[in-house]
């Protein structure tokens, strides 16, 4: 830590006068970066010298800075022949200074800093970025709900207020980060990791060595940025590290989690982006690699990023009221019930924005507490808050603190685009709220509808589905029952995106208020499809090829038993099935590549599922084969 560094520029000080003063007093801040978020969640990071920034500060702060849109993910919008994108600074959130602790300015003896200004991306005069989509969804949510309160004053009676008492609606959100950390170029055996996980040998145990140092440094640095960290701890995954001759810990492979305080929704998403950078860079400076992948290791717990969402009324007298908290003997208020119903009814078209990569869907499989079913849990009784970790959308309640009532979406992962995730949640929530208020539904009617059994017809939720359970989704329902009650979870990126066509009638909730139009949805779909295909051809197949080639015959012919020979023959058959082409047949890799070239994405999806199943079978066979050998 360095003294006298400025880490945060609060929104109240984002004016030209304040910035000139701050930059003059802190010559270690050498660069400015305008940070826009494209539809894939990538953040722009250009280095503009402070001198140039100050020469034209009015344009940077109040105008539009042009950039090449071909460098951001906006397919179908910013094309090569129409690529100009304008970046516009956002003055309604905090700005941060990012420091390079490996580059010390010799004149100030401080690390060189870059002022990162959260911004919006405009193409042909229209905002096309993730941050603005979230901002627009909040605007639509607020305007719609305030109009409903005005038209249906009875909807406020439960809170004991009138429409004229309201000053504002305040959306709040919070995320946390789970991540794997390891020493570079070292691998742990999956079986060892799996055993440690089942025995819960790592969960909430004491951190040591470089991991402890990096964790503590990260938490302290987050405090400097006013992120208000609440906790850092070990998660369920990991194995015990080893010690080298000098007493240093090596062979580190651990799963960690860091949490911080909630904020307003756009600020919360910005804070998460900053937290990821702080954590990754801090651990790297301590010689550790961090991955925020959702499922970096098959067969071992993945990393989630539970997304919390709340909504409060700010009154003119300064008081705040949680809109979700029940005022009677209920789990939730009318708006609370309606919000969760809106999300669950429309989750098929929300899901592509939450889980948009191969990696994310590897995590969302039955087991490991993965939330694969569109279902909520409220609790066995009003005075006993739910602790069900197998559902998609959980209700978080503190009986002693009404302001703490909120929802937790359990499906997101550390690389989920939080801006789009929150935006689509708000649009679904206001759809449910509109139904409840205009139909003048009370808490009992909404609870009854939310708790309905499959086959029961209701006014809002779909007839053939169930939406609430207090049971364990994986232990108390078989595969057939899960699909019947809660729907079939998508297994590939293509299956997930197909919901846009299969449930096209549900897309109208996003288009209300022009928050997400057809062009933006199509651009998002194109971006996700391109990444899906590119990952298969550029990473998954090459990585699997290397893995398959590493599976070699280990037994000697003179000592081998019939079981060893049989095991190896089964292994080799799969290796050939996956990789080898002949004059009469083609390997699975080739068939996938041909389907990609033909743009037969339905076939690619089907073959990808077969590929994953075959690789799982191959790994299990090879592990059994090795265990039966005495001499390797």
């Amino acid at each position: 830590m360095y003294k006298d560094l400025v880490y945060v520029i609060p929104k109240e000080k984002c004016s030209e006068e304040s910035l000139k003063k701050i930059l003059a007093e802190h010559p270690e801040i050498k660069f400015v970066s305008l940070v826009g978020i494209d539809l894939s969640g990538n953040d722009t990071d250009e280095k503009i010298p402070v001198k140039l920034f100050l020469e034209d500060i009015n344009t940077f702060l109040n105008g539009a800075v042009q950039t090449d849109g071909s460098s951001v993910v906006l397919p179908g919008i910013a094309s090569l022949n129409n690529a100009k994108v304008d970046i516009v600074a956002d003055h309604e959130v905090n700005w941060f200074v990012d420091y390079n602790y490996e580059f010390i300015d010799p004149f100030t003896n401080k690390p060189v800093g870059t002022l990162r200004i959260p911004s919006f991306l405009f193409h042909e005069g229209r905002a096309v970025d993730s941050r603005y989509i979230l901002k627009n969804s909040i605007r639509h949510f607020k305007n719609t709900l305030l109009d409903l309160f005005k038209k249906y004053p009875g909807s406020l009676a439960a809170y004991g207020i009138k429409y004229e008492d309201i000053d504002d609606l305040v959306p709040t959100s919070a995320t946390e980060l789970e991540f794997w950390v390891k020493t570079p170029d070292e691998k742990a055996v999956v079986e060892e990791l799996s055993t440690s996980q089942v025995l819960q040998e790592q969960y909430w145990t004491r951190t040591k060595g470089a991991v402890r140092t990096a964790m503590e440094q990260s938490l302290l640095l987050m405090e400097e940025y006013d992120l208000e960290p609440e906790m850092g701890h070990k998660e369920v995954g990991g194995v015990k590290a080893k010690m080298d001759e000098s007493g240093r810990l090596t062979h580190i492979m651990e799963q960690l989690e860091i949490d911080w305080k909630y904020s307003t929704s756009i600020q919360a998403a910005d804070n998460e982006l900053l937290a990821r950078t702080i954590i990754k860079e801090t651990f790297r400076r301590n010689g550790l690699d961090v991955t925020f992948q959702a499922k970096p290791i098959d067969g071992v717990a993945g990393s989630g990023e539970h997304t919390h969402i709340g909504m409060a009324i700010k009154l003119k007298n300064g008081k705040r009221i949680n809109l979700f908290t029940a005022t009677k003997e209920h789990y939730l208020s009318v708006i609370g019930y309606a919000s969760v119903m809106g999300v669950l009814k429309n989750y098929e078209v929300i899901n592509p924005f939450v889980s948009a990569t191969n990696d994310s869907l590897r995590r969302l499989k039955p087991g490991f507490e993965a939330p694969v079913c569109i279902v909520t849990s409220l609790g066995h009784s009003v005075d006993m808050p739910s602790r069900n970790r197998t559902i998609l959308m959980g209700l978080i309640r503190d009986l002693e603190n009404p302001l703490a009532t909120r929802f937790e979406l359990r499906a997101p992962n550390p690389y989920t685009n939080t801006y789009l995730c929150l935006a689509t949640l708000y649009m679904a929530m206001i759809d449910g709220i509109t139904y409840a208020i205009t139909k003048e539904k009370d808490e009992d009617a909404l609870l009854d509808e939310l708790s309905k059994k499959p086959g029961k017809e209701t006014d809002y939720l779909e007839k053939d589905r169930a939406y609430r359970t207090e049971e364990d989704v994986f232990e108390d329902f078989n595969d057939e029952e899960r699909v019947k009650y809660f729907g079939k979870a998508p297994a590939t990126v293509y299956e997930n995106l197909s919901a846009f066509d299969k449930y096209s009638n549900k897309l109208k909730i996003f288009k209300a208020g022009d928050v997400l139009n057809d062009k933006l949805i199509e651009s998002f779909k194109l971006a996700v499809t391109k990444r899906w295909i590119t990952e298969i051809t550029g990473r998954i197949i090459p990585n699997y090829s290397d893995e398959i080639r590493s599976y070699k015959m280990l037994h000697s012919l003179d000592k081998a038993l019939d079981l060893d020979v049989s095991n190896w023959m089964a292994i080799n058959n799969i290796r050939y099935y996956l990789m080898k082409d002949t004059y009469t047949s083609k390997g699975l890799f080739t068939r996938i590549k041909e389907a990609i070239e033909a743009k037969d994405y339905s076939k690619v999806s089907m073959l990808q599922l077969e590929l994953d199943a075959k690789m799982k079978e191959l790994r299990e066979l090879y592990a059994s084969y090795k265990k039966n050998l005495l001499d390797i």
Side-chain angles (χ1 to χ4, degrees), residues 435-453:
Y435 155 73
I437 292 181
T438 57
K439 298 296 183 181
E440 298 184 328
K441 299 284 184 176
D442 62 15
E443 294 95 338
D444 290 313
L446 294 174
L447 176 60
D448 182 65
E449 184 168 355
L450 182 58
S451 306
K452 78 180 196 67
K453 301 296 182 184

Side-chain angles (χ1 to χ4, degrees), residues 164-178:
E164 293 75 18
D165 299 327
I166 299 174
D167 180 46
D168 196 8
L169 295 178
V170 183
T172 58
S173 301
T175 60
E176 79 280 343
L177 284 175
E178 293 178 1

Side-chain angles (χ1 to χ4, degrees), residues 533-550 579 589 593 611 615:
I533 292 301
T534 303
E535 285 180 350
I536 290 175
T537 56
R539 287 183 180 168
I540 293 176
I541 289 179
N543 290 344
Y544 280 172
S545 297
D546 291 342
E547 184 179 349
I548 291 166
R549 291 189 181 100
S550 73
M579 287 189 65
F589 287 170
K593 291 175 183 176
L611 172 59
M615 287 301 299

Side-chain angles (χ1 to χ4, degrees), residues 32-178:
V32 175
S33 178
L34 298 172
V35 184
I37 311 295
D38 66 22
L39 294 181
S40 287
N42 304 314
D43 57 309
T44 60
D45 183 29
E46 65 291 308
K47 298 290 185 181
I48 303 167
V50 164
K51 180 182 177 181
L52 180 62
F53 175 79
L54 290 173
E55 287 175 355
D56 197 12
I57 189 170
N58 184 59
T59 299
F60 281 104
L61 295 184
N62 303 308
V65 179
Q66 293 185 4
T67 189
D68 181 3
S70 62
S71 61
V72 293
V73 179
L74 297 169
I77 296 176
S79 54
L80 287 175
N81 63 343
N82 186 15
K84 183 175 72 70
V85 171
D86 294 327
I87 307 182
V88 178
D90 183 358
H91 293 261
E92 297 179 359
V93 293
N94 295 336
W95 297 356
F96 302 112
V97 182
D98 176 35
Y99 289 100
N100 183 355
Y101 294 97
E102 294 167 308
F103 180 16
I104 306 302
D105 178 14
F107 298 101
T108 64
N109 201 31
K110 294 177 181 179
V112 169
T114 298
L115 171 61
R116 286 172 58 86
I117 302 177
S119 305
F120 303 116
L121 304 177
F122 282 76
H123 183 263
E124 295 185 333
R126 291 181 62 90
V128 291
D129 65 285
S130 297
R131 293 187 81 258
Y132 195 88
I133 290 170
L134 175 54
K135 178 180 180 178
N136 212 9
S137 73
I138 292 171
R139 174 199 56 77
H140 174 73
F141 185 101
K142 286 184 177 183
N143 290 344
T144 304
L145 187 51
L146 288 172
D147 284 346
L148 288 169
F149 285 154
K150 192 172 185 177
K151 292 176 183 177
Y152 298 87
S155 59
L156 289 170
Y159 303 106
I161 62 172
K162 298 178 181 179
Y163 176 79
E164 293 75 18
D165 299 327
I166 299 174
D167 180 46
D168 196 8
L169 295 178
V170 183
T172 58
S173 301
T175 60
E176 79 280 343
L177 284 175
E178 293 178 1

